[in-house]
């Protein structure tokens, strides 16, 4: 089958990232996303989002069972796997030479066949409120951002699942950066391991942890990289490994409907939905994924989601001035979620360079929250953290992909992130048609 994308423009195109409003993700994800551009005689593949092949597997991508199988192929006893897990996940020791209850010969074999190298740290920033943001460098030179948010009774790590994103949510900084590739399971878990190393967070008892909660709310859409996300979360939850409970891990999705049920069946962790509007007209304007999976289909999937006892689905709702913040929007939300165990997180919009929106006024946010609360819904207003270092919700972006996915609909974004060709064509419309034969 030949899949072609015909670009209808008044001028020839060079490279555009695929939006979620086509059938592409449904048909071809996973394992690879293909960027195409018109050339004489047809369409040419120019990039994929698979991670590069590695010379040897990384330890952070192996479950205990997988490591035992790996050791067997190396002629090492299976019990060594548990010893290695103890060193790495309980004591924070990643250097084979320091694993002193392993023989020198076994350590040399492990070093030869298993990778335990850390991510590179290109930038570490600490905000006035104590929030820390790291720009991590991957083995192939790509970069991702990870944020640690300390609070009095817990510490939350916001991790990324992709380099860039395909969803183009209009209010999200990551949405201005095209998808470069998915992260591997090892790279996803490595963000947790690196944060704990930087925080010196290896207590003898779990109760003393600084990093108590993990949220997949960083760069990328986790459910467009589900297999790697699932494997990384299962490693984080393994009692032999990091041992995080299902209540301590939250996955946030923009609404990839076919994958939602798998989260409940495979993981049983907390689920958050980036909703941001109660109706298709408003949501489609700010979240193109709604073209593919509209509100009705999303809500049907959530009502079928296997919630554990005393659990609720969290709806994330960014407050955009004069876009989604009226009393009518609040009333529509109340009707939309009726009978569903849920809560809302109201998020004041966090600005970023070139952002085409403004945050709702404080009084409007309070009135919106009060309207939801009066209907019996929990609707706290999330406190903005790390805004001064662009570490707040919706502000993450790395520059390593070398491409953007900005929409010509918003000139302020194009002026900051667009190519020279895009800036020259401000105001022109782009349409994409999916054809198969």
């Amino acid at each position: 089958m030949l899949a072609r994308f015909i670009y209808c423009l008044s001028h020839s195109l060079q490279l555009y990232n695929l939006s979620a409003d086509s059938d592409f993700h449904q048909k071809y994800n996973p394992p690879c996303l293909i960027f195409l551009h018109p050339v004489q005689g047809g369409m040419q593949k120019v990039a994929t989002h698979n991670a590069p092949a590695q010379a040897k597997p990384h330890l952070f991508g192996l479950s205990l069972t997988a490591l035992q199988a790996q050791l067997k192929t190396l002629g090492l006893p299976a019990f060594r796997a548990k010893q290695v897990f103890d060193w790495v996940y309980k004591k924070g020791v990643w250097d084979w030479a320091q694993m002193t209850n392993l023989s020198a010969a076994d350590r040399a074999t492990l070093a030869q066949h298993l990778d335990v190298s850390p991510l590179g740290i290109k930038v570490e920033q600490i905000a006035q409120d104590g929030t820390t943001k790291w720009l991590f460098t991957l083995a192939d030179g790509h970069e991702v951002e990870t944020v640690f948010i300390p609070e009095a009774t817990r510490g939350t790590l916001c991790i990324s699942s992709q380099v860039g994103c395909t969803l183009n949510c209009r209010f999200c900084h990551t949405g201005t950066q095209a998808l470069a590739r998915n992260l591997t399971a090892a790279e996803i878990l490595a963000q947790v391991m690196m944060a704990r190393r930087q925080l010196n967070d290896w207590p003898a008892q779990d109760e003393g942890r600084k990093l108590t909660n993990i949220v997949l709310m960083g760069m990328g859409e986790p459910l467009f990289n589900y297999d790697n996300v699932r494997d990384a979360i299962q490693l984080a939850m393994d009692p032999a490994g990091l041992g995080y409970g299902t209540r301590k891990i939250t996955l946030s999705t923009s609404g990839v409907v076919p994958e939602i049920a798998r989260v409940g069946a495979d993981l049983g962790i907390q689920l958050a939905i980036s909703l941001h509007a109660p109706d298709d007209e408003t949501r489609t304007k700010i979240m193109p994924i709604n073209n593919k999976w509209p509100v009705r289909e999303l809500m049907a999937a959530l009502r079928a989601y296997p919630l554990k006892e005393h659990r609720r689905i969290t709806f994330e709702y960014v407050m955009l001035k004069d876009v989604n913040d009226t009393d009518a929007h609040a009333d529509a939300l109340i009707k939309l979620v009726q009978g569903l165990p849920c809560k809302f997180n109201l998020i004041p919009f966090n600005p970023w360079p070139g952002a085409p929106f403004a945050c709702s006024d404080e009084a409007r946010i309070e009135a919106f929250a009060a309207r939801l609360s009066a209907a019996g819904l929990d609707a706290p207003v999330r406190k903005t953290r790390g805004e001064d270092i662009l570490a707040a919700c919706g502000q993450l972006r790395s520059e390593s992909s070398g491409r953007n996915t900005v929409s010509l609909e918003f000139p302020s974004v194009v002026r900051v992130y667009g190519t020279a060709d895009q800036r020259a064509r401000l105001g022109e419309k782009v349409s994409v048609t999916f054809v198969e034969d």
Side-chain angles (χ1 to χ4, degrees):
M1 179 178 64
L2 174 65
R4 303 195 314 269
F5 288 89
I6 303 173
Y7 294 80
C8 307
L9 290 177
S10 58
H11 299 280
S12 62
L13 293 179
Q14 295 180 10
L15 176 64
Y16 283 88
N17 188 30
L18 179 68
S19 294
D21 55 357
S22 77
D23 288 333
F24 190 88
H25 283 295
Q26 182 77 350
K27 292 176 179 291
Y28 295 105
N29 184 78
C32 86
L33 174 64
I34 304 173
F35 296 90
L36 302 172
H37 70 95
V39 294
Q40 188 173 4
M43 308 298 289
Q44 176 181 334
K45 182 174 73 172
V46 296
T48 73
H49 77 327
N50 291 327
Q54 294 181 311
K56 52 186 178 180
H58 200 289
L59 181 62
F60 295 163
L62 298 176
S63 66
L64 183 61
T65 301
L67 179 57
Q68 290 169 338
Q70 183 80 10
L71 297 187
K72 184 177 180 180
T73 67
L74 301 176
L76 301 180
F79 70 82
R80 288 291 191 219
K82 182 61 167 61
Q83 292 176 315
V84 170
F85 261 49
D86 284 345
W87 279 109
V88 174
Y89 295 115
K90 304 300 183 184
K91 301 176 183 178
V93 174
W94 308 353
D95 185 348
W96 298 117
Q98 296 181 37
M99 300 182 187
T100 52
N101 60 347
L102 280 63
S103 69
D106 286 356
R107 281 180 272 161
T109 299
L110 290 168
Q112 183 179 356
H113 294 280
L114 285 174
D115 187 5
V116 290
S117 58
L119 301 178
I121 301 177
K122 186 171 183 178
V123 178
E124 179 180 89
Q125 295 174 285
I126 301 178
Q128 292 181 354
D129 62 16
T131 298
T132 302
K133 182 173 76 171
W134 295 284
L135 179 63
F136 290 128
T137 304
L138 310 177
D140 62 354
H142 283 304
E143 299 161 353
V144 293
E145 290 192 319
T146 305
V147 177
F148 177 67
I149 306 165
E151 298 178 78
T153 58
R154 66 180 182 178
T156 301
L157 188 72
C158 178
I159 63 176
S160 298
S161 57
Q162 296 178 306
V163 182
C165 189
T166 65
L167 293 183
N168 308 351
C169 296
R170 307 311 190 196
F171 51 82
C172 180
H173 201 198
T174 308
T176 66
Q177 177 184 343
L179 177 69
R181 66 170 176 85
N182 285 334
L183 297 184
T184 65
E187 291 166 337
I188 295 169
L189 190 68
Q191 296 171 72
V192 181
M193 299 296 289
M194 290 296 297
R196 292 187 66 174
R197 171 177 277 193
Q198 292 303 107
L199 296 169
N200 192 25
D201 187 25
W202 302 102
Q205 302 295 326
D206 288 347
E207 289 77 10
R209 282 180 174 173
K210 299 174 185 175
L211 198 167
T212 62
N213 294 67
I214 300 169
V215 295
L216 284 113
M217 298 182 181
M219 297 168 58
E221 166 52 62
L223 297 190
F224 279 159
N225 186 21
Y226 180 74
D227 289 348
N228 287 326
V229 166
R230 176 202 59 212
D231 292 349
I233 291 176
Q234 288 176 338
L235 277 164
M237 294 192 301
D238 188 342
L242 294 177
Y244 285 93
T246 57
R247 286 184 177 274
K248 300 295 185 180
I249 302 177
T250 301
L251 183 148
S252 175
T253 176
S254 294
V256 184
V257 167
E259 301 292 337
I260 288 175
R262 296 179 68 190
V263 177
D266 296 344
L267 301 170
I269 58 176
Q270 308 275 35
L271 180 66
I273 303 297
S274 292
L275 185 61
H276 309 304
D279 61 280
D280 287 330
E281 181 180 1
T282 306
R283 194 167 191 261
T284 298
K285 288 179 180 178
I286 59 177
M287 299 182 69
I289 193 173
N290 200 71
N291 280 312
K292 178 62 182 174
W293 294 295
V295 173
R296 175 180 50 82
E297 293 183 23
L298 174 59
M299 294 306 299
L302 297 180
R303 292 186 184 280
Y305 186 77
L307 276 175
K308 292 186 176 182
E309 190 176 4
H310 305 306
R311 300 282 186 94
R312 296 181 293 178
I313 292 171
T314 298
F315 287 105
E316 297 163 317
Y317 199 93
V318 64
M319 300 298 295
L320 303 173
K321 186 174 183 179
D322 299 327
V323 176
N324 64 351
D325 63 350
T326 67
D327 286 349
H329 289 116
D331 291 341
L333 286 175
I334 293 167
K335 183 177 180 180
L336 183 69
V337 304
Q338 188 173 10
L340 182 67
C342 66
K343 62 173 286 189
F344 282 85
N345 273 341
L346 302 183
I347 307 168
F349 173 67
N350 298 301
W352 37 268
F357 301 107
C359 181
S360 304
D361 298 334
E362 184 176 351
R364 176 86 296 264
I365 296 175
E366 291 178 356
F368 197 94
R371 205 168 185 91
L372 297 180
S373 296
L377 295 169
D378 286 343
V381 179
R382 183 187 295 178
K383 181 181 179 181
T384 297
R385 300 291 302 273
E387 186 179 18
D388 53 322
I389 58 171
L390 289 182
C393 180
Q395 291 185 320
L396 302 187
R397 188 184 197 272
S398 68
E399 305 295 335
S400 63
S401 73
R403 300 188 298 270
N404 69 55
T405 180
V406 302
S407 169
L408 297 180
E409 181 181 357
F410 298 105
S412 63
V413 181
V414 176
R415 291 188 185 103
V416 176
Y417 301 104
T419 64
D421 184 51
Q422 288 170 325
R423 290 195 295 270
R425 294 200 319 276
L426 282 177
E428 294 184 16
K429 299 295 183 180
V430 181
S431 63
V432 181
T433 304
F434 184 83
V435 179
E436 63 180 40
D437 54 35

